[in-house]
Amino acid sequence: MPRSTEPTVVLVHGAFADASSYARVIPELTAAGLKVVAPAVPNRSLIDDAAYIASVIRAVDGPVILVGHSYGGAVITLAGTEDNVRALVYLAGYALEEGESLGELQGRFPDSGLADALVYTPFPVAGSTEPGTDVTVEVEKFPALFAADVDPELAAVLAVSQRPLAARAFTEAAPVAAWKRKPSWGLVATSDRTINPDVERYGYERAGMTTVEVDSSHLVMLARPKAVAELIEDAVRSTADRPAP
């Protein structure tokens, strides 16, 4: 049976968030006639998270436009090597180079202020006597750092419903960089207080991406959903007739 030629947009969330962070973008995409999948990222390990998202991509019938926000950008940098991925879209995200970790990329630039707001909590690891470490953002600081231009009541909910990221994800080096083979788009959130916008710009420029800048907090999908949807739709249109790399 032939595979579908209609693209599916796979939305990968970042750290300290979940797939509901795309709640305002998904209606924009579906109204444009696009199929959408928004999986839950385990947030346990960059390598393992990318492997999980790669399995989601392989289950999609037809081409995929792969979108990653924040830490999700690092995840799609690995998972985007799947054969049916036609394009990558980074939203206020990390575009890693081969052999580079999140910590290394972030460390090239002045800190955004996030580091002083992080909370470290041990969690049990199956089969090991050594615990892992979960990382979250202080609840009181979350709205200003993450969601300064999002409705305050929603930001307060997001602050207490964070999906932690395991600390090991910050130190794992990317074994591949999908943007070397796949056309890529990047959105810089110019009022981002979670990731220094220059980190975003640097990664995008290094990858030769088509880039836009939007005055937004880190959670650009909730603050500026139409701008995000337009960028994704641009990637869809630009790769509609492109064969697999």
Side-chain angles (χ1 to χ4, degrees), residues 20-236:
S20 68
S21 57
Y22 287 103
R24 296 189 66 195
V25 171
I26 292 170
E28 298 282 343
L29 298 176
T30 56
L34 292 167
K35 294 183 289 185
V36 177
V37 175
V41 183
N43 283 5
R44 297 294 82 188
S45 148
L46 176 59
I47 305 299
D48 293 344
D49 292 344
Y52 174 73
I53 293 301
S55 74
V56 173
I57 294 166
R58 289 193 296 273
V60 173
D61 179 23
V64 164
I65 306 299
L66 186 58
V67 181
H69 172 247
S70 189
Y71 167 68
V75 173
I76 71 170
T77 298
L78 280 60
T81 58
E82 289 298 312
D83 290 343
N84 57 328
V85 173
R86 292 295 184 268
L88 308 172
V89 181
Y90 290 77
L91 306 174
Y94 293 102
L96 299 178
E97 173 61 281
E98 290 180 9
E100 184 177 58
S101 70
L102 287 167
E104 288 169 339
L105 175 55
Q106 183 75 56
R108 293 193 174 98
F109 298 87
D111 184 64
S112 63
L114 178 67
D116 292 335
L118 296 178
V119 177
Y120 300 90
T121 307
F123 68 88
V125 176
S128 174
T129 58
E130 294 295 322
T133 301
D134 262 343
V135 184
T136 54
V137 180
E138 289 183 39
V139 169
E140 294 78 11
K141 295 181 179 179
F142 182 98
L145 284 172
F146 244 70
D149 50 1
V150 174
D151 177 83
E153 291 186 359
L154 175 56
V157 171
L158 297 173
V160 300
S161 59
Q162 296 176 50
R163 190 179 185 95
L165 178 66
R168 64 180 289 195
F170 291 99
T171 59
E172 290 181 317
V176 295
W179 50 258
K180 290 179 180 290
R181 295 179 52 217
K182 309 292 176 85
S184 303
W185 281 254
L187 183 150
V188 177
T190 59
S191 296
D192 200 333
R193 295 185 59 197
T194 298
I195 299 176
N196 184 332
D198 285 338
V199 173
E200 300 163 22
R201 292 187 184 99
Y202 174 79
Y204 301 168
E205 290 170 5
R206 178 173 62 181
M209 294 187 195
T210 300
T211 304
V212 300
E213 300 211 356
V214 176
D215 183 11
S216 172
S217 68
H218 189 59
L219 281 176
V220 62
M221 306 91 72
L222 290 170
R224 298 288 300 276
K226 290 187 182 296
V228 170
E230 287 171 3
L231 185 65
I232 295 169
E233 289 169 31
D234 183 35
V236 171

